[in-house]
Amino acid sequence: VLGQQMFHDPERKDDPTYTGEWVSPFEASKRTGSSPEYNHPQFGWLPVEHIVRYEQDLRPWQGKWISVQREAEIRRDFRNAWEVRTEHFLVKTNTSLEEGVAISRKLEIYYDWLQKNFAAFFETPASLQEKFEEAQSRRRNSTTIRPMEVHYYASRGEYEERMRGKIPPNLVTNGLYWEPDRTCYLFRNPEVEDFSTVFHEATHQILDLASIDDRLAAARKRKLVLRQRTTERWELCEHANFWILEGIACYMESFDVKDGAAFVGRPDHIRFLGAQQRLLLDGFYIPLQTFSALGKDEFRQHPNHTQLYTQGSGVAHFLLHYKDGIYRDDFVTLLTAVYRPNLNSDILKSPSLEAITGVSFAELDRQYREHLENLAASLQQSALLETKRE
């Protein structure tokens, strides 16, 4: 049902304790064939016969082996960038092969975590039924997965040059998911030591591409309802709920992996500290009824748009964590509703947070304040305990 297949490693055929292993079709294809590959800790998937030379700082280039220094000089030009292919991503970078591998592995961990923890977004009842039927009949889906492309540049200057024409010249960004070409654009930022921007933009990319067919179907139905002559592109959150697009991406900036375990939503992350400061110290807050009613242009052109992003991350944390997650399923339902419009309901009506939760906006406002006050209090308590230890 999960799409894995039983694999028998030919290198272990003489091991009596080895009975095979479950792997993805991608991994199985890499480890078989006339030139099987190995997932090297530093260099990613490599033909087995290349490993020794890689560890001797030699690299293949146009049919011959060159020094690692020579390769780095060649690949400084992004047209010759390293390409790191994993199951769901294709990372192109001119920083280093090792950095590209590290990013790709973080992205794969994040993709897997997102699939499991937001399963209701990715799997509709119909798609789940189809998977069970395929498993029972032993049918195999041989469709090749188109990897999600990520471009990672060595400097901000290179990134901004590539972004020319995609974003306004006076707008400073640390990364961008560009929907028209389905690609994430990022760069090595010495001011950011973690992968927060990578996870932010990957969130936009993963959610968009997982649901793109649903919005095409919604656009076609809207054409029929409005009797339009052409099918117009379905704009995400054009008239309402734009906060959730940026709220979930900002929330996911807190995603981290340590010792094989994933963590997300820690209260002391800068996004959530900012939300606490806006509400509790600055007194800035837009009631959720008004906040939810903001569409794409209203949100982005708002005179306080920076504060709106901060509030969006705070609201996402509230809905995912308040009272051990009583609104978590509702959050996923709203996220699904904006990305996957329901063809069986009023296609022109925006989904409502109030209607989904069954709780009035006024009460949600009160609970949001309570949640952030509790976060601030817990952080103060932790700080006091740390001071006492010292």
Side-chain angles (χ1 to χ4, degrees), residues 60-225:
W61 179 257
Q62 295 184 346
K64 59 183 179 181
W65 290 91
I66 62 175
S67 70
V68 67
Q69 295 82 6
R70 175 62 179 152
E71 185 199 35
E73 180 63 24
I74 292 171
R75 296 194 185 279
R76 280 198 314 125
D77 186 335
F78 202 84
R79 290 172 294 184
N80 300 322
W82 284 278
E83 296 189 2
V84 180
R85 176 72 159 90
T86 58
E87 185 169 0
H88 300 101
F89 295 91
L90 172 61
V91 176
K92 296 183 179 181
T93 183
N94 61 345
T95 58
S96 71
L97 173 61
E98 293 86 344
E99 197 162 1
V101 169
I103 291 170
S104 70
R105 286 180 173 155
K106 290 282 188 181
L107 285 170
E108 286 292 345
I109 292 172
Y110 177 57
Y111 179 89
D112 183 63
W113 183 91
L114 202 60
Q115 292 278 325
K116 292 177 180 176
N117 288 274
F118 285 70
F121 176 91
F122 294 99
E123 298 292 359
T124 64
S127 68
L128 280 174
Q129 180 66 30
E130 183 179 353
K131 285 190 174 184
F132 275 93
E133 290 174 354
E134 287 181 354
Q136 288 175 328
S137 64
R138 298 185 179 275
R139 295 198 308 268
R140 297 294 182 191
N141 185 354
S142 59
T143 303
T144 302
I145 298 175
R146 176 181 175 182
M148 289 174 276
E149 196 158 319
V150 175
H151 291 189
Y152 187 77
Y153 299 96
S155 68
R156 177 182 286 277
E158 290 177 277
Y159 163 79
E160 291 180 344
E161 179 64 26
R162 299 286 178 171
M163 293 303 97
R164 186 175 297 177
K166 291 182 170 65
I167 57 177
N170 59 339
L171 181 63
V172 177
T173 62
N174 291 324
L176 176 73
Y177 167 58
W178 186 244
E179 289 183 32
D181 61 17
R182 306 182 178 189
T183 301
C184 276
Y185 295 93
L186 305 159
F187 65 95
R188 181 193 281 165
N189 189 344
E191 300 175 3
V192 180
E193 297 180 356
D194 56 23
F195 287 82
S196 57
T197 304
V198 174
F199 295 134
H200 181 115
E201 300 306 332
T203 301
H204 289 311
Q205 183 180 39
I206 294 169
L207 298 182
D208 174 59
L209 296 182
S211 56
I212 195 167
D213 291 340
D214 298 87
R215 294 192 301 282
L216 178 58
R220 289 169 177 163
K221 181 174 181 180
R222 181 178 59 187
K223 173 189 173 184
L224 296 175
V225 171

Side-chain angles (χ1 to χ4, degrees), residues 210 287 348 355:
L348 303 179

Side-chain angles (χ1 to χ4, degrees), residues 16 77 88 101 139 215 239 253 280 295 368-369 372:
D77 186 335
H88 300 101
V101 169
R139 295 198 308 268
R215 294 192 301 282
H239 303 295
E253 290 180 19
L280 305 177
Y368 176 69
R369 175 175 287 276
L372 292 198

Side-chain angles (χ1 to χ4, degrees), residues 37-49:
E37 296 186 20
Y38 168 70
N39 196 5
H40 192 279
Q42 285 180 272
F43 310 125
W45 287 104
L46 289 177
V48 174
E49 63 267 24

